[in-house]
Amino acid sequence: MTRRTPQGAGHRLEDSIAWAVRNADGVVAIGVALVVGIMDVLNQNMDPNIVSGATLLVLAALVFGSLTERRRRVADIHKATEETSRAVEDLAMVRTLTGPEVALAHERARRNTTRWVFKGGTGTYLRAVTLPECVLEAQRQRRSLSMKIDIVNPADDQACAAYARFRRTFGQDHALDFAEWTTERTRKESYATVVAAAWHRQRLDTLEIDVHLSSVAPALRFDLSDTCLIITQDDPRRVSLYVERDRPLYDYYVTELHQNREQAVKLDLREALPLGDEPTVDEVRRLLDRLGLPLPSSFTDRDVGDIIDKALRAENPYRR
C-alpha cells in the first residue's frame, strides 16, 4: 500500500489554493449562497433584507466572473490572432518588385553593405552600377567591402553560346537591349567584368573581390547584400523577387550561391598586373594572360578596346 507523502499533499494544497484564487468569483458566490441557505434553514425568522443582500452579492460575483471570463477570451483571441499574423508573415518570405521598385531595392541594398554576392550571365548591370557604386560608398565610409562575382566563363565556348542563345530566345522584344546577343558578345561582356574587377581592386585597398567563372548559362540573376537578396531576370519588365535577410530563404541562397562558386573556376586577382587609369590594349592582354584567361587569337585590338569600354564605361542596360 502506497503512503501519501507530505510533499505530494503540499503540492495538492498549493494547486487547490491556486485554483481558488483563479476562480475567486465563483468561490465567493458559492460560499455566500451556502451560508445564507444554511442560515435560512436553521433560522426561519431571518431578516428578508439579509437574504436579498446575499442574493445581490451572489449575482454580483457571478457577473464579475462572467466579465473576467470574457476578458480572458478576448485576450486569448488577440494572442491567437497575433500568432496567426506572425505565421503568415513568416510564410510570405518573398516580395515581388516591378518597374522602378527594382532599382530602388538595389539602391537600398548597396547602402552600408559590407558584402555583395552576384551570380548571373555576364554582369553588365554589375559593371555599370553595382560595382562602382559599392566602391564609392565604401570609400566614402572608409570601410572594407567584400564582393564575390560568378559569371559565364568567357573561355567556355559552349557556355557562351548557350547564354547568347538564351538571351536571343527570351529577349527579342526587350526594347532596352539593342545589340544582338552572340557568342562573341557574351565573351566580351564576361572579359569586361574580369577587367573591371581587377581595375577597381587596384584602386581600393579595402576591396576584397573574387571572380568565379561558370560553365553553366544562368536564367536568373542573384544580388545578395547584408540586408537582402534580389532575384531578377534579363527583362526588367518581368517581376523580380525580394527576400529580406531574416527570412530562411535568404540563408538557403547564401548556401546555394556558395556551392555554385565552389564548382566554378576561381581567378586569383592577386596575380593581376597593374592597370592604368585608362588601360591600354597591351595592359589588358597581359592582365588576362597573367590570370590564365587569355583572349582568343581572333580578337583584334579593336575588340580589346570594346572590352575596355565595357569594363569602365558600361551603360546601365535598364536606364530608360
Side-chain angles (χ1 to χ4, degrees):
M1 183 175 178
T2 304
R3 291 186 177 182
R4 296 180 179 177
T5 63
Q7 185 177 4
H11 281 304
R12 284 193 294 275
L13 179 59
E14 291 176 1
D15 293 340
S16 300
I17 294 174
W19 179 87
V21 172
R22 290 194 303 269
N23 301 276
D25 49 355
V27 172
V28 171
I30 294 173
V32 172
L34 288 174
V35 170
V36 174
I38 293 173
M39 292 176 63
D40 190 28
V41 171
L42 297 178
N43 185 2
Q44 298 296 331
N45 298 321
M46 179 177 290
D47 190 342
N49 291 330
I50 296 178
V51 177
S52 299
T55 302
L56 292 175
L57 181 59
V58 171
L59 291 175
L62 292 176
V63 170
F64 176 78
S66 177
L67 293 176
T68 301
E69 182 62 24
R70 183 176 297 178
R71 286 196 300 269
R72 290 173 182 171
R73 290 179 179 177
V74 171
D76 290 341
I77 291 173
H78 283 313
K79 182 178 179 181
T81 302
E82 291 176 358
E83 291 177 350
T84 302
S85 299
R86 193 177 302 112
V88 171
E89 291 176 359
D90 290 339
L91 289 175
M93 294 186 294
V94 179
R95 181 160 60 91
T96 58
L97 301 174
T98 57
E101 294 177 335
V102 180
L104 182 59
H106 275 89
E107 180 183 349
R108 290 175 177 171
R110 292 192 295 266
R111 297 175 188 169
N112 303 317
T113 190
T114 60
R115 69 166 171 170
W116 195 280
V117 178
F118 171 82
K119 177 176 174 55
T122 59
T124 305
Y125 183 82
L126 177 82
R127 276 180 277 116
V129 180
T130 304
L131 179 55
E133 290 295 331
C134 283
V135 168
L136 284 176
E137 192 67 20
Q139 289 175 330
R140 186 180 68 82
Q141 299 187 27
R142 297 190 176 187
R143 55 170 170 75
S144 62
L145 174 65
S146 173
M147 299 195 74
K148 298 185 183 299
I149 301 170
D150 188 344
I151 58 175
V152 173
N153 189 345
D156 190 322
D157 293 342
Q158 291 184 348
C160 291
Y163 184 73
R165 186 166 56 251
F166 168 77
R167 293 299 299 268
R168 289 196 304 270
T169 301
F170 295 99
Q172 291 177 349
D173 60 345
H174 185 178
L176 302 179
D177 196 353
F178 300 100
E180 181 182 0
W181 277 91
T182 62
T183 301
E184 180 175 318
R185 178 186 174 184
T186 302
R187 284 176 177 159
K188 286 184 178 181
E189 298 283 355
S190 286
Y191 277 124
T193 298
V194 174
V195 173
W199 189 88
H200 283 285
R201 183 181 183 275
Q202 293 173 7
R203 280 153 184 79
L204 180 61
D205 292 337
T206 58
L207 173 61
E208 297 180 2
I209 186 167
D210 295 326
V211 177
H212 300 257
L213 307 177
S214 174
S215 294
V216 178
L220 299 172
R221 297 190 186 94
F222 301 87
D223 287 276
L224 186 143
S225 73
D226 284 339
T227 58
C228 66
L229 165 68
I230 304 173
I231 304 175
T232 57
Q233 301 184 57
D234 57 273
D235 189 345
R237 294 170 300 181
R238 299 182 65 85
V239 172
S240 300
L241 304 178
Y242 180 92
V243 183
E244 294 181 354
R245 179 173 181 169
D246 59 350
R247 304 300 184 185
L249 193 59
Y250 178 94
D251 295 327
Y252 296 162
Y253 272 107
V254 169
T255 303
E256 175 69 16
L257 295 174
H258 172 77
Q259 286 300 105
N260 288 333
R261 293 194 302 272
E262 287 294 304
Q263 300 174 55
V265 177
K266 180 181 178 181
L267 297 180
D268 189 355
L269 295 183
R270 294 174 301 178
E271 299 295 326
L273 295 175
L275 293 173
D277 291 341
E278 289 294 331
T280 65
V281 170
D282 290 338
E283 285 178 344
V284 170
R285 286 187 182 276
R286 288 195 297 267
L287 167 74
L288 295 173
D289 287 342
R290 182 66 174 270
L291 294 176
L293 193 67
L295 291 167
S297 58
S298 59
F299 272 35
T300 64
D301 288 351
R302 182 175 180 179
D303 293 324
V304 180
D306 288 342
I307 292 174
I308 296 172
D309 287 337
K310 292 176 181 294
L312 304 184
R313 288 174 285 276
E315 295 183 4
N316 183 350
Y318 305 131
R319 178 180 295 170
R320 294 182 181 275

